[in-house]
Amino acid sequence: MTARAMPDDGGSGACPAPLTERQEERRRRILRAGAELAARGGFDGVQMREVAELSGVALGTLYRYFPSKVHLLVATMRDRLERVHESLRGRPLRGETAAERVAETLIRAFHAFRGEPRLADAVVRALTFADRSVSAEVERVSSRTAAIVLDAVGPGGPGAEGPPAVARVPGSGPGAGSGPGPGAGCGSAVRVIGHAWHAVLVAWVSGRASVAEVEADIVTVSRLIDT
């Protein structure tokens, strides 16, 4: 996947230019710094000036990559999901049905975030606060979540060979319905499952759901994939 700079297009949706190798390395430093601060102090612990200092970039440069803390933390959510996706692909699933494999996968993904509770709180709050200006990055988070679900649905699940999928589920965002993807019925189920997974993550970080309740809810919503 080729990273792209954050557009400064006033929400017009113009396609930004791909990052150079040096720019991508700088972006990775910024993401690492943001994640480190979030892991220490949650959402409130991430201050853009501290991110700039920790990553070794000028504050103005930081804002060219990420116009706000919300932009930065939503990108961090996407980065973490990409890492989770890669780790899941190396662990074969035991489930016999698609629903069982999806539930197993999403429970594993939940526990990956559960292992960093302050970071999880920070990125979930950022998604909650995200407005239209962050829509492109939010769409990438949704697409990565859908790809995780779709890998679990397919033969062998995330342990299957081949490059990780980056899915566009019909109706999930700008340009929906174009390009490769599941049929309309499966796409709707994948989209709802993804929404539900993010919702239970919100419920858990806010203290409104226990781990057992989160797991039970994931199992329940995953059954949609078999209908």
Side-chain angles (χ1 to χ4, degrees), residues 94-180:
R94 297 184 297 272
E96 295 183 359
T97 68
E100 289 172 347
R101 293 193 298 272
V102 169
E104 184 180 348
T105 293
L106 292 181
I107 287 171
R108 288 180 182 179
F110 162 68
H111 282 286
F113 280 88
R114 183 187 172 212
E116 297 180 287
R118 289 178 179 169
L119 176 60
D121 173 74
V123 297
V124 165
R125 287 176 64 183
L127 280 170
T128 303
F129 296 150
D131 60 18
R132 183 179 177 183
S133 71
V134 202
S135 60
E137 197 64 54
V138 171
E139 168 63 12
R140 294 183 186 106
V141 170
S142 297
S143 293
R144 180 58 61 173
T145 305
I148 290 171
V149 173
L150 288 169
D151 267 2
V153 171
E161 294 182 357
V166 178
R168 180 178 294 283
V169 178
S172 66
S178 62

Side-chain angles (χ1 to χ4, degrees), residues 4 6 15 25 40 42 48 51 56 116 156 182 215-216 224:
R4 294 178 181 273
M6 179 64 64
C15 185
E25 191 277 332
R40 292 181 198 165
M48 295 296 270
V51 172
E116 297 180 287
E215 293 180 347
L224 287 172

Side-chain angles (χ1 to χ4, degrees), residues 32-56:
R32 285 195 299 269
E36 181 178 333
L37 292 170
R40 292 181 198 165
F43 184 86
D44 293 334
V46 179
Q47 301 299 323
M48 295 296 270
R49 186 172 298 278
E50 291 184 40
V51 172
E53 292 174 357
L54 189 58
S55 60

Side-chain angles (χ1 to χ4, degrees), residues 7 17 19 23 29 43 48 53 65 73 91 107 112 121 137 146-147 167 211:
L19 297 179
Q23 289 171 329
R29 292 204 320 268
F43 184 86
M48 295 296 270
E53 292 174 357
Y65 282 81
L73 288 173
R91 300 172 60 188
I107 287 171
D121 173 74
E137 197 64 54
V211 171

